[in-house]
């Protein structure tokens, strides 16, 4: 799981080569940025093209040999699942999920013919009323709330999807639908006041801790079910709209002081504090340490592991969304 500096260098080089498929100049610089938009602003046809690409990803056979993952959608989920303990409650939380969203966007575009950008869920407009969000629309969205004791979703495009990963670190559970228990007592914390509270934070560490708390947890807990599984939550495709929303908030905070915040990093590499006991890897799992970051303070040279789904990148590579690797903007 750990990569040598040479491998990391090759991975960065490979990502520059793969840039051919995204709108960049021949020199690899970012010229025409992909425009990431809010889900509710997309046309019905745009929404359909995104969902069709997601369904395509769920049908494409797995190629990487990651335990339990049977399709490309699940390989990306696996990359989140197997290293959950070193990507949550740590300084790399925001950069890791930024790269993870980018990986999803790349798979949709490169392997499933999607022409658009990764959309996000503007959760402030649905705070306290997720149950009637456009995102949960059974016809033009991701399907509605779950039903029954298991909370399996029964309408929308993903009602028949069997997820082979989760709950938690488990793989291959026989009953593993996408389930949801919408909870609007929790989704209230998606409100603008919670975002504003985080945007006022002065340091990366304070901002990350704030963002991982209310704006992050409100989206997961507000949808409920699989989305509340901190390890296997990318099994619900809503995950990608939620974390792109959180990434937009991260960029908004960075944009308030780019001179400092394109390079400011911090926090620990080992989880501390309450609430992470459930994320301890199962007994016997290989010890996990972030490559390129040997001490317990998260730095820009920290390698973000995508397990082959896309090339690995360092935190430095993903600090600027307008940079040569990412090349997108939020509108
Ligand atoms: Cu996560």
């Amino acid at each position: 799981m750990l990569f040598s500096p040479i491998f990391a260098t090759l991975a960065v080089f490979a990502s520059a080569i793969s840039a051919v498929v995204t709108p960049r100049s021949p020199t690899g610089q970012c010229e025409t940025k992909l425009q990431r938009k809010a889900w509710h602003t997309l046309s019905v046809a745009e929404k359909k093209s995104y969902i069709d690409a997601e369904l395509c990803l769920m049908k494409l056979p797995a190629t990487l040999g990651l335990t339990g993952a049977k399709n490309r959608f699940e390989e990306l989920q696996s990359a989140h699942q197997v290293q959950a303990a070193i990507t949550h409650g740590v300084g790399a939380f925001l950069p890791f999920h930024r790269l993870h969203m980018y990986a999803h966007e790349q798979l949709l575009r490169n392997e499933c013919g999607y022409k658009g950008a990764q959309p996000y869920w503007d959760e402030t407009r649905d705070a306290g009323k997720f149950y009637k969000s456009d995102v949960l629309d059974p016809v033009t969205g991701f399907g509605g709330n779950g039903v029954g004791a298991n909370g399996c979703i029964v309408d929308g495009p993903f009602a028949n999807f069997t997820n082979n990963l989760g709950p938690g670190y488990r793989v291959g559970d026989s009953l593993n639908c996408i389930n949801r228990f919408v909870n609007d007592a929790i989704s209230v914390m998606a409100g603008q006041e919670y975002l504003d509270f985080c945007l006022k934070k002065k340091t990366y560490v304070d901002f990350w801790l704030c963002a991982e708390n209310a704006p992050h947890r409100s989206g997961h807990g507000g949808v409920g079910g699989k989305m509340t599984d901190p390890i296997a939550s990318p099994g619900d495709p809503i995950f990608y709209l939620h974390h792109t929303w959180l990434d937009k908030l991260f960029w908004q905070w960075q944009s308030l002081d780019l001179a400092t915040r394109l390079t400011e990093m911090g926090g620990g590499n080992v989880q501390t504090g309450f609430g992470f006991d459930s994320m301890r890897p199962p007994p016997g799992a290989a010890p996990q340490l972030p490559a390129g970051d040997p001490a317990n303070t998260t730095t820009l040279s920290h390698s973000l592991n995508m397990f082959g789904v896309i090339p690995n990148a360092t935190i430095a590579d993903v600090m600027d969304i307008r940079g040569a690797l990412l090349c997108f903007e939020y509108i």
Side-chain angles (χ1 to χ4, degrees), residues 66 73-88 93 96-97 100-101 165 168-169 216 220 229-235 239-240 243 279 288 305-307 309:
L66 303 176
F73 177 83
E74 289 178 350
E75 287 186 320
L76 189 57
Q77 182 188 6
S78 176
H80 183 276
Q81 181 189 36
V82 298
Q83 57 181 337
I86 60 166
T87 57
H88 303 86
F93 171 77
F96 170 80
H97 287 85
H100 198 240
M101 296 306 103
L165 304 180
Y169 290 107
H216 173 236
H220 283 283
D229 181 337
I231 298 156
S233 47
F239 175 88
Y240 294 100
H243 262 281
M279 301 181 79
Q288 294 181 322
N305 192 347
M306 286 291 127
F307 286 83
V309 177

mmCIF file of all heavy atoms in Angstrom, residues 66 73-88 93 96-97 100-101 165 168-169 216 220 229-235 239-240 243 279 288 305-307 309:
data_model
loop_
_atom_site.group_PDB
_atom_site.id
_atom_site.type_symbol
_atom_site.label_atom_id
_atom_site.label_comp_id
_atom_site.label_asym_id
_atom_site.label_seq_id
_atom_site.Cartn_x
_atom_site.Cartn_y
_atom_site.Cartn_z
ATOM 1 N N LEU A 66 -9.355 -5.142 -6.258
ATOM 2 C CA LEU A 66 -9.582 -4.677 -4.889
ATOM 3 C C LEU A 66 -10.643 -5.574 -4.238
ATOM 4 O O LEU A 66 -11.672 -5.865 -4.857
ATOM 5 C CB LEU A 66 -10.043 -3.209 -4.898
ATOM 6 C CG LEU A 66 -9.084 -2.235 -5.591
ATOM 7 C CD1 LEU A 66 -9.666 -0.819 -5.630
ATOM 8 C CD2 LEU A 66 -7.726 -2.227 -4.882
ATOM 9 N N PHE A 73 -17.543 1.449 -10.226
ATOM 10 C CA PHE A 73 -18.128 2.280 -9.171
ATOM 11 C C PHE A 73 -17.645 1.807 -7.807
ATOM 12 O O PHE A 73 -17.276 2.611 -6.934
ATOM 13 C CB PHE A 73 -19.664 2.201 -9.272
ATOM 14 C CG PHE A 73 -20.412 2.940 -8.201
ATOM 15 C CD1 PHE A 73 -20.641 4.304 -8.298
ATOM 16 C CD2 PHE A 73 -20.915 2.264 -7.092
ATOM 17 C CE1 PHE A 73 -21.343 4.988 -7.318
ATOM 18 C CE2 PHE A 73 -21.619 2.943 -6.102
ATOM 19 C CZ PHE A 73 -21.826 4.309 -6.220
ATOM 20 N N GLU A 74 -17.613 0.496 -7.620
ATOM 21 C CA GLU A 74 -17.199 -0.050 -6.329
ATOM 22 C C GLU A 74 -15.682 0.026 -6.131
ATOM 23 O O GLU A 74 -15.221 0.048 -4.988
ATOM 24 C CB GLU A 74 -17.692 -1.488 -6.184
ATOM 25 C CG GLU A 74 -19.212 -1.533 -5.999
ATOM 26 C CD GLU A 74 -19.788 -2.939 -5.898
ATOM 27 O OE1 GLU A 74 -19.052 -3.923 -6.154
ATOM 28 O OE2 GLU A 74 -20.982 -3.044 -5.595
ATOM 29 N N GLU A 75 -14.924 0.051 -7.204
ATOM 30 C CA GLU A 75 -13.481 0.220 -7.010
ATOM 31 C C GLU A 75 -13.175 1.589 -6.402
ATOM 32 O O GLU A 75 -12.307 1.721 -5.533
ATOM 33 C CB GLU A 75 -12.738 0.019 -8.339
ATOM 34 C CG GLU A 75 -12.721 -1.453 -8.723
ATOM 35 C CD GLU A 75 -11.885 -1.756 -9.948
ATOM 36 O OE1 GLU A 75 -11.910 -0.973 -10.917
ATOM 37 O OE2 GLU A 75 -11.225 -2.808 -9.937
ATOM 38 N N LEU A 76 -13.916 2.593 -6.839
ATOM 39 C CA LEU A 76 -13.733 3.920 -6.248
ATOM 40 C C LEU A 76 -14.230 3.929 -4.801
ATOM 41 O O LEU A 76 -13.627 4.554 -3.922
ATOM 42 C CB LEU A 76 -14.473 4.960 -7.094
ATOM 43 C CG LEU A 76 -14.227 6.422 -6.743
ATOM 44 C CD1 LEU A 76 -12.747 6.783 -6.809
ATOM 45 C CD2 LEU A 76 -15.035 7.329 -7.651
ATOM 46 N N GLN A 77 -15.314 3.209 -4.556
ATOM 47 C CA GLN A 77 -15.826 3.064 -3.182
ATOM 48 C C GLN A 77 -14.799 2.335 -2.312
ATOM 49 O O GLN A 77 -14.555 2.703 -1.158
ATOM 50 C CB GLN A 77 -17.148 2.292 -3.209
ATOM 51 C CG GLN A 77 -17.813 2.125 -1.845
ATOM 52 C CD GLN A 77 -19.018 1.196 -1.912
ATOM 53 O OE1 GLN A 77 -19.297 0.578 -2.961
ATOM 54 N NE2 GLN A 77 -19.749 1.098 -0.811
ATOM 55 N N SER A 78 -14.175 1.313 -2.882
ATOM 56 C CA SER A 78 -13.170 0.550 -2.141
ATOM 57 C C SER A 78 -11.981 1.419 -1.743
ATOM 58 O O SER A 78 -11.457 1.314 -0.627
ATOM 59 C CB SER A 78 -12.695 -0.633 -3.001
ATOM 60 O OG SER A 78 -11.658 -1.325 -2.351
ATOM 61 N N ALA A 79 -11.562 2.289 -2.652
ATOM 62 C CA ALA A 79 -10.432 3.180 -2.342
ATOM 63 C C ALA A 79 -10.754 4.069 -1.140
ATOM 64 O O ALA A 79 -9.865 4.503 -0.416
ATOM 65 C CB ALA A 79 -10.072 4.027 -3.560
ATOM 66 N N HIS A 80 -12.029 4.334 -0.924
ATOM 67 C CA HIS A 80 -12.465 5.091 0.253
ATOM 68 C C HIS A 80 -12.575 4.167 1.468
ATOM 69 O O HIS A 80 -12.140 4.497 2.571
ATOM 70 C CB HIS A 80 -13.822 5.734 -0.042
ATOM 71 C CG HIS A 80 -14.352 6.602 1.061
ATOM 72 N ND1 HIS A 80 -15.044 6.094 2.134
ATOM 73 C CD2 HIS A 80 -14.289 7.929 1.273
ATOM 74 C CE1 HIS A 80 -15.392 7.075 2.942
ATOM 75 N NE2 HIS A 80 -14.942 8.220 2.448
ATOM 76 N N GLN A 81 -13.109 2.982 1.242
ATOM 77 C CA GLN A 81 -13.399 2.055 2.337
ATOM 78 C C GLN A 81 -12.126 1.598 3.043
ATOM 79 O O GLN A 81 -12.027 1.652 4.272
ATOM 80 C CB GLN A 81 -14.153 0.846 1.772
ATOM 81 C CG GLN A 81 -14.541 -0.197 2.802
ATOM 82 C CD GLN A 81 -15.084 -1.471 2.150
ATOM 83 O OE1 GLN A 81 -14.639 -1.891 1.090
ATOM 84 N NE2 GLN A 81 -16.072 -2.077 2.795
ATOM 85 N N VAL A 82 -11.154 1.132 2.272
ATOM 86 C CA VAL A 82 -10.019 0.445 2.898
ATOM 87 C C VAL A 82 -9.094 1.380 3.673
ATOM 88 O O VAL A 82 -8.324 0.936 4.502
ATOM 89 C CB VAL A 82 -9.190 -0.355 1.872
ATOM 90 C CG1 VAL A 82 -10.042 -1.437 1.236
ATOM 91 C CG2 VAL A 82 -8.596 0.551 0.799
ATOM 92 N N GLN A 83 -9.171 2.677 3.406
ATOM 93 C CA GLN A 83 -8.269 3.591 4.109
ATOM 94 C C GLN A 83 -9.048 4.662 4.888
ATOM 95 O O GLN A 83 -8.530 5.751 5.139
ATOM 96 C CB GLN A 83 -7.292 4.258 3.136
ATOM 97 C CG GLN A 83 -7.963 5.019 2.008
ATOM 98 C CD GLN A 83 -6.961 5.649 1.046
ATOM 99 O OE1 GLN A 83 -5.808 5.899 1.398
ATOM 100 N NE2 GLN A 83 -7.396 5.893 -0.178
ATOM 101 N N ALA A 84 -10.281 4.303 5.277
ATOM 102 C CA ALA A 84 -11.124 5.287 5.968
ATOM 103 C C ALA A 84 -10.463 5.839 7.227
ATOM 104 O O ALA A 84 -10.657 7.000 7.589
ATOM 105 C CB ALA A 84 -12.478 4.665 6.311
ATOM 106 N N ALA A 85 -9.652 5.007 7.877
ATOM 107 C CA ALA A 85 -9.056 5.435 9.151
ATOM 108 C C ALA A 85 -7.909 6.432 8.965
ATOM 109 O O ALA A 85 -7.482 7.050 9.934
ATOM 110 C CB ALA A 85 -8.558 4.219 9.934
ATOM 111 N N ILE A 86 -7.420 6.595 7.742
ATOM 112 C CA ILE A 86 -6.362 7.597 7.560
ATOM 113 C C ILE A 86 -6.820 8.754 6.667
ATOM 114 O O ILE A 86 -6.015 9.575 6.233
ATOM 115 C CB ILE A 86 -5.041 6.994 7.001
ATOM 116 C CG1 ILE A 86 -5.261 6.346 5.633
ATOM 117 C CG2 ILE A 86 -4.448 6.016 8.002
ATOM 118 C CD1 ILE A 86 -3.937 6.044 4.909
ATOM 119 N N THR A 87 -8.125 8.822 6.412
ATOM 120 C CA THR A 87 -8.648 9.923 5.587
ATOM 121 C C THR A 87 -9.795 10.678 6.255
ATOM 122 O O THR A 87 -10.383 11.563 5.658
ATOM 123 C CB THR A 87 -9.141 9.393 4.216
ATOM 124 O OG1 THR A 87 -10.123 8.382 4.448
ATOM 125 C CG2 THR A 87 -7.998 8.826 3.394
ATOM 126 N N HIS A 88 -10.133 10.300 7.480
ATOM 127 C CA HIS A 88 -11.165 11.012 8.246
ATOM 128 C C HIS A 88 -10.617 11.326 9.625
ATOM 129 O O HIS A 88 -9.893 10.525 10.200
ATOM 130 C CB HIS A 88 -12.436 10.156 8.375
ATOM 131 C CG HIS A 88 -13.011 9.747 7.054
ATOM 132 N ND1 HIS A 88 -12.576 8.628 6.384
ATOM 133 C CD2 HIS A 88 -13.952 10.320 6.281
ATOM 134 C CE1 HIS A 88 -13.231 8.540 5.241
ATOM 135 N NE2 HIS A 88 -14.073 9.543 5.141
ATOM 136 N N PHE A 93 -8.222 14.990 5.393
ATOM 137 C CA PHE A 93 -9.645 14.765 5.104
ATOM 138 C C PHE A 93 -10.135 15.565 3.882
ATOM 139 O O PHE A 93 -10.733 15.006 2.953
ATOM 140 C CB PHE A 93 -10.481 15.118 6.339
ATOM 141 C CG PHE A 93 -11.964 15.133 6.097
ATOM 142 C CD1 PHE A 93 -12.688 13.963 6.010
ATOM 143 C CD2 PHE A 93 -12.648 16.339 5.940
ATOM 144 C CE1 PHE A 93 -14.059 13.982 5.780
ATOM 145 C CE2 PHE A 93 -14.012 16.369 5.707
ATOM 146 C CZ PHE A 93 -14.718 15.186 5.623
ATOM 147 N N PHE A 96 -8.039 14.686 0.527
ATOM 148 C CA PHE A 96 -8.352 13.333 0.055
ATOM 149 C C PHE A 96 -9.697 13.324 -0.662
ATOM 150 O O PHE A 96 -9.841 12.779 -1.762
ATOM 151 C CB PHE A 96 -8.371 12.303 1.196
ATOM 152 C CG PHE A 96 -8.936 10.980 0.736
ATOM 153 C CD1 PHE A 96 -8.146 10.092 0.029
ATOM 154 C CD2 PHE A 96 -10.271 10.655 0.955
ATOM 155 C CE1 PHE A 96 -8.674 8.899 -0.457
ATOM 156 C CE2 PHE A 96 -10.811 9.462 0.470
ATOM 157 C CZ PHE A 96 -10.007 8.583 -0.230
ATOM 158 N N HIS A 97 -10.703 13.903 -0.036
ATOM 159 C CA HIS A 97 -12.025 13.867 -0.661
ATOM 160 C C HIS A 97 -12.074 14.738 -1.915
ATOM 161 O O HIS A 97 -12.839 14.457 -2.834
ATOM 162 C CB HIS A 97 -13.107 14.226 0.357
ATOM 163 C CG HIS A 97 -13.349 13.118 1.354
ATOM 164 N ND1 HIS A 97 -12.584 12.977 2.489
ATOM 165 C CD2 HIS A 97 -14.222 12.069 1.347
ATOM 166 C CE1 HIS A 97 -13.003 11.893 3.156
ATOM 167 N NE2 HIS A 97 -13.987 11.330 2.488
ATOM 168 N N HIS A 100 -10.783 12.395 -4.451
ATOM 169 C CA HIS A 100 -11.767 11.326 -4.639
ATOM 170 C C HIS A 100 -12.918 11.800 -5.532
ATOM 171 O O HIS A 100 -13.381 11.062 -6.418
ATOM 172 C CB HIS A 100 -12.271 10.870 -3.260
ATOM 173 C CG HIS A 100 -12.946 9.537 -3.254
ATOM 174 N ND1 HIS A 100 -14.254 9.379 -2.863
ATOM 175 C CD2 HIS A 100 -12.512 8.293 -3.566
ATOM 176 C CE1 HIS A 100 -14.594 8.093 -2.943
ATOM 177 N NE2 HIS A 100 -13.555 7.418 -3.368
ATOM 178 N N MET A 101 -13.359 13.037 -5.358
ATOM 179 C CA MET A 101 -14.407 13.586 -6.240
ATOM 180 C C MET A 101 -13.886 13.712 -7.669
ATOM 181 O O MET A 101 -14.592 13.422 -8.638
ATOM 182 C CB MET A 101 -14.859 14.975 -5.755
ATOM 183 C CG MET A 101 -15.526 15.007 -4.398
ATOM 184 S SD MET A 101 -16.931 13.898 -4.228
ATOM 185 C CE MET A 101 -16.183 12.575 -3.279
ATOM 186 N N LEU A 165 -19.972 -3.814 -1.232
ATOM 187 C CA LEU A 165 -19.069 -3.345 -0.176
ATOM 188 C C LEU A 165 -19.855 -2.747 0.981
ATOM 189 O O LEU A 165 -20.867 -2.083 0.776
ATOM 190 C CB LEU A 165 -18.103 -2.297 -0.733
ATOM 191 C CG LEU A 165 -17.249 -2.712 -1.937
ATOM 192 C CD1 LEU A 165 -16.347 -1.561 -2.366
ATOM 193 C CD2 LEU A 165 -16.425 -3.950 -1.629
ATOM 194 N N GLY A 168 -19.480 -0.848 6.770
ATOM 195 C CA GLY A 168 -18.142 -0.690 7.339
ATOM 196 C C GLY A 168 -17.084 -1.280 6.432
ATOM 197 O O GLY A 168 -17.119 -1.109 5.216
ATOM 198 N N TYR A 169 -16.184 -2.064 7.022
ATOM 199 C CA TYR A 169 -15.089 -2.661 6.253
ATOM 200 C C TYR A 169 -15.488 -3.995 5.621
ATOM 201 O O TYR A 169 -14.678 -4.616 4.948
ATOM 202 C CB TYR A 169 -13.870 -2.878 7.160
ATOM 203 C CG TYR A 169 -13.194 -1.596 7.591
ATOM 204 C CD1 TYR A 169 -13.320 -1.119 8.892
ATOM 205 C CD2 TYR A 169 -12.413 -0.862 6.698
ATOM 206 C CE1 TYR A 169 -12.703 0.053 9.291
ATOM 207 C CE2 TYR A 169 -11.795 0.310 7.085
ATOM 208 C CZ TYR A 169 -11.939 0.763 8.392
ATOM 209 O OH TYR A 169 -11.322 1.931 8.773
ATOM 210 N N HIS A 216 -20.347 18.676 6.996
ATOM 211 C CA HIS A 216 -20.089 17.319 6.514
ATOM 212 C C HIS A 216 -21.105 16.338 7.082
ATOM 213 O O HIS A 216 -21.772 15.609 6.359
ATOM 214 C CB HIS A 216 -18.651 16.930 6.898
ATOM 215 C CG HIS A 216 -18.315 15.504 6.611
ATOM 216 N ND1 HIS A 216 -17.844 14.638 7.575
ATOM 217 C CD2 HIS A 216 -18.401 14.785 5.472
ATOM 218 C CE1 HIS A 216 -17.629 13.454 7.025
ATOM 219 N NE2 HIS A 216 -17.958 13.510 5.748
ATOM 220 N N HIS A 220 -24.403 13.717 5.477
ATOM 221 C CA HIS A 220 -24.421 12.265 5.666
ATOM 222 C C HIS A 220 -25.612 11.840 6.526
ATOM 223 O O HIS A 220 -26.370 10.933 6.169
ATOM 224 C CB HIS A 220 -23.114 11.798 6.328
ATOM 225 C CG HIS A 220 -21.954 11.749 5.378
ATOM 226 N ND1 HIS A 220 -21.789 10.742 4.462
ATOM 227 C CD2 HIS A 220 -20.900 12.576 5.202
ATOM 228 C CE1 HIS A 220 -20.676 10.947 3.755
ATOM 229 N NE2 HIS A 220 -20.119 12.062 4.191
ATOM 230 N N ASP A 229 -22.676 5.619 6.905
ATOM 231 C CA ASP A 229 -21.569 4.671 7.099
ATOM 232 C C ASP A 229 -20.276 5.393 6.732
ATOM 233 O O ASP A 229 -20.018 5.660 5.564
ATOM 234 C CB ASP A 229 -21.801 3.463 6.176
ATOM 235 C CG ASP A 229 -20.737 2.390 6.309
ATOM 236 O OD1 ASP A 229 -19.609 2.712 6.746
ATOM 237 O OD2 ASP A 229 -21.031 1.231 5.959
ATOM 238 N N PRO A 230 -19.445 5.746 7.715
ATOM 239 C CA PRO A 230 -18.285 6.596 7.393
ATOM 240 C C PRO A 230 -17.258 5.889 6.513
ATOM 241 O O PRO A 230 -16.392 6.537 5.936
ATOM 242 C CB PRO A 230 -17.698 6.925 8.771
ATOM 243 C CG PRO A 230 -18.160 5.824 9.656
ATOM 244 C CD PRO A 230 -19.491 5.369 9.122
ATOM 245 N N ILE A 231 -17.382 4.577 6.400
ATOM 246 C CA ILE A 231 -16.373 3.791 5.684
ATOM 247 C C ILE A 231 -16.854 3.454 4.263
ATOM 248 O O ILE A 231 -16.114 3.620 3.292
ATOM 249 C CB ILE A 231 -16.057 2.516 6.497
ATOM 250 C CG1 ILE A 231 -15.463 2.936 7.852
ATOM 251 C CG2 ILE A 231 -15.132 1.579 5.751
ATOM 252 C CD1 ILE A 231 -15.620 1.924 8.948
ATOM 253 N N ALA A 232 -18.085 2.995 4.142
ATOM 254 C CA ALA A 232 -18.602 2.535 2.846
ATOM 255 C C ALA A 232 -19.615 3.484 2.222
ATOM 256 O O ALA A 232 -20.295 3.134 1.260
ATOM 257 C CB ALA A 232 -19.230 1.144 2.995
ATOM 258 N N SER A 233 -19.724 4.719 2.726
ATOM 259 C CA SER A 233 -20.769 5.633 2.240
ATOM 260 C C SER A 233 -20.714 5.948 0.752
ATOM 261 O O SER A 233 -21.750 6.306 0.171
ATOM 262 C CB SER A 233 -20.775 6.929 3.051
ATOM 263 O OG SER A 233 -19.486 7.451 3.199
ATOM 264 N N PRO A 234 -19.565 5.818 0.050
ATOM 265 C CA PRO A 234 -19.635 6.052 -1.401
ATOM 266 C C PRO A 234 -20.441 4.995 -2.150
ATOM 267 O O PRO A 234 -20.485 5.012 -3.381
ATOM 268 C CB PRO A 234 -18.157 6.034 -1.836
ATOM 269 C CG PRO A 234 -17.382 6.346 -0.603
ATOM 270 C CD PRO A 234 -18.163 5.704 0.510
ATOM 271 N N GLY A 235 -21.114 4.094 -1.436
ATOM 272 C CA GLY A 235 -22.035 3.159 -2.083
ATOM 273 C C GLY A 235 -23.338 3.824 -2.486
ATOM 274 O O GLY A 235 -24.083 3.301 -3.302
ATOM 275 N N PHE A 239 -23.362 10.462 -2.328
ATOM 276 C CA PHE A 239 -22.085 10.780 -1.675
ATOM 277 C C PHE A 239 -21.277 11.786 -2.506
ATOM 278 O O PHE A 239 -20.683 12.720 -1.961
ATOM 279 C CB PHE A 239 -21.293 9.482 -1.495
ATOM 280 C CG PHE A 239 -19.899 9.653 -0.946
ATOM 281 C CD1 PHE A 239 -19.654 9.682 0.423
ATOM 282 C CD2 PHE A 239 -18.812 9.757 -1.808
ATOM 283 C CE1 PHE A 239 -18.365 9.822 0.919
ATOM 284 C CE2 PHE A 239 -17.519 9.903 -1.313
ATOM 285 C CZ PHE A 239 -17.302 9.933 0.047
ATOM 286 N N TYR A 240 -21.265 11.578 -3.818
ATOM 287 C CA TYR A 240 -20.406 12.419 -4.659
ATOM 288 C C TYR A 240 -20.949 13.844 -4.792
ATOM 289 O O TYR A 240 -20.175 14.789 -4.933
ATOM 290 C CB TYR A 240 -20.184 11.745 -6.025
ATOM 291 C CG TYR A 240 -19.384 10.468 -5.846
ATOM 292 C CD1 TYR A 240 -20.002 9.227 -5.831
ATOM 293 C CD2 TYR A 240 -18.009 10.531 -5.603
ATOM 294 C CE1 TYR A 240 -19.271 8.066 -5.603
ATOM 295 C CE2 TYR A 240 -17.279 9.377 -5.371
ATOM 296 C CZ TYR A 240 -17.918 8.153 -5.375
ATOM 297 O OH TYR A 240 -17.191 7.019 -5.126
ATOM 298 N N HIS A 243 -20.061 15.406 -1.168
ATOM 299 C CA HIS A 243 -18.657 15.763 -0.918
ATOM 300 C C HIS A 243 -18.140 16.804 -1.903
ATOM 301 O O HIS A 243 -17.193 17.528 -1.593
ATOM 302 C CB HIS A 243 -17.772 14.514 -0.882
ATOM 303 C CG HIS A 243 -17.518 14.072 0.526
ATOM 304 N ND1 HIS A 243 -16.589 14.671 1.350
ATOM 305 C CD2 HIS A 243 -18.128 13.136 1.278
ATOM 306 C CE1 HIS A 243 -16.622 14.112 2.536
ATOM 307 N NE2 HIS A 243 -17.552 13.171 2.530
ATOM 308 N N MET A 279 -14.130 3.369 13.109
ATOM 309 C CA MET A 279 -13.347 3.369 11.879
ATOM 310 C C MET A 279 -12.033 2.615 12.013
ATOM 311 O O MET A 279 -11.251 2.579 11.073
ATOM 312 C CB MET A 279 -13.084 4.800 11.419
ATOM 313 C CG MET A 279 -14.383 5.534 11.172
ATOM 314 S SD MET A 279 -14.133 7.197 10.598
ATOM 315 C CE MET A 279 -13.762 6.889 8.889
ATOM 316 N N GLN A 288 -1.700 1.057 8.247
ATOM 317 C CA GLN A 288 -1.790 2.089 7.223
ATOM 318 C C GLN A 288 -1.050 3.338 7.655
ATOM 319 O O GLN A 288 -1.276 3.855 8.738
ATOM 320 C CB GLN A 288 -3.254 2.445 6.968
ATOM 321 C CG GLN A 288 -4.025 1.296 6.355
ATOM 322 C CD GLN A 288 -5.462 1.690 6.093
ATOM 323 O OE1 GLN A 288 -6.075 2.400 6.871
ATOM 324 N NE2 GLN A 288 -5.993 1.231 4.991
ATOM 325 N N ASN A 305 -3.761 8.192 -1.736
ATOM 326 C CA ASN A 305 -3.744 6.890 -2.408
ATOM 327 C C ASN A 305 -5.085 6.611 -3.078
ATOM 328 O O ASN A 305 -6.118 6.523 -2.409
ATOM 329 C CB ASN A 305 -3.429 5.812 -1.356
ATOM 330 C CG ASN A 305 -3.112 4.476 -1.988
ATOM 331 O OD1 ASN A 305 -3.353 4.268 -3.170
ATOM 332 N ND2 ASN A 305 -2.568 3.569 -1.197
ATOM 333 N N MET A 306 -5.066 6.442 -4.369
ATOM 334 C CA MET A 306 -6.291 6.116 -5.115
ATOM 335 C C MET A 306 -6.327 4.651 -5.530
ATOM 336 O O MET A 306 -7.174 4.244 -6.327
ATOM 337 C CB MET A 306 -6.421 7.029 -6.334
ATOM 338 C CG MET A 306 -6.825 8.446 -6.000
ATOM 339 S SD MET A 306 -8.537 8.576 -5.391
ATOM 340 C CE MET A 306 -8.259 9.461 -3.860
ATOM 341 N N PHE A 307 -5.405 3.865 -5.034
ATOM 342 C CA PHE A 307 -5.393 2.412 -5.270
ATOM 343 C C PHE A 307 -5.520 2.050 -6.748
ATOM 344 O O PHE A 307 -6.141 1.049 -7.091
ATOM 345 C CB PHE A 307 -6.482 1.728 -4.429
ATOM 346 C CG PHE A 307 -6.113 1.648 -2.965
ATOM 347 C CD1 PHE A 307 -6.332 2.721 -2.128
ATOM 348 C CD2 PHE A 307 -5.494 0.518 -2.450
ATOM 349 C CE1 PHE A 307 -5.955 2.670 -0.792
ATOM 350 C CE2 PHE A 307 -5.118 0.464 -1.118
ATOM 351 C CZ PHE A 307 -5.342 1.535 -0.291
ATOM 352 N N VAL A 309 -7.186 3.523 -9.103
ATOM 353 C CA VAL A 309 -8.388 3.999 -9.808
ATOM 354 C C VAL A 309 -8.008 5.153 -10.736
ATOM 355 O O VAL A 309 -8.383 5.186 -11.907
ATOM 356 C CB VAL A 309 -9.476 4.436 -8.807
ATOM 357 C CG1 VAL A 309 -10.688 4.988 -9.541
ATOM 358 C CG2 VAL A 309 -9.884 3.258 -7.924
#
